Amino acid sequence: MSFNYGLRPTTVQMLTSSGTSSQSNAFGDYTYYVRICADADCHILFGANPTATSSSIFIAQDQPEVFKVSPGEKVAAIGSSNVSISELSA
């Protein structure tokens, strides 16, 4: 499946998640959307200092999702997966 939101990719972060919550670096000053894709099912949470749990947002394996975020926020993930985080700007 292909999506075109007319957004420009800027920074890509890779996050390795396991049995405990792992956190990304803060998003850039002009990041208002992120594309999240994981190589295995996991859960994610956004915020200033997030800790993901099994009750957080579910991300299915190989099913990219785009989320609106604020500059400076982070994403945390939990589950046995590698998570790709693509920061997007207009």
Side-chain angles (χ1 to χ4, degrees):
M1 193 177 299
S2 177
F3 301 99
N4 183 356
Y5 294 99
L7 300 171
R8 178 172 303 164
T10 57
T11 301
V12 175
Q13 298 186 52
M14 295 300 295
L15 184 61
T16 300
S17 173
S18 61
T20 59
S21 182
S22 298
Q23 202 175 87
S24 72
N25 294 323
F27 301 141
D29 290 341
Y30 299 99
T31 299
Y32 292 96
Y33 295 90
V34 293
R35 178 182 175 267
I36 305 284
C37 189
D39 66 359
D41 293 350
C42 65
H43 292 84
I44 64 169
L45 184 66
F46 296 97
N49 187 24
T51 300
T53 69
S54 60
S55 298
S56 300
I57 301 165
F58 177 73
I59 297 293
Q61 174 183 352
D62 298 327
Q63 296 295 316
E65 297 274 354
V66 175
F67 295 91
K68 183 159 178 45
V69 296
S70 296
E73 281 188 319
K74 300 176 184 179
V75 64
I78 192 168
S80 296
S81 65
N82 296 302
V83 180
S84 173
I85 306 149
S86 301
E87 297 183 35
L88 307 170
S89 69

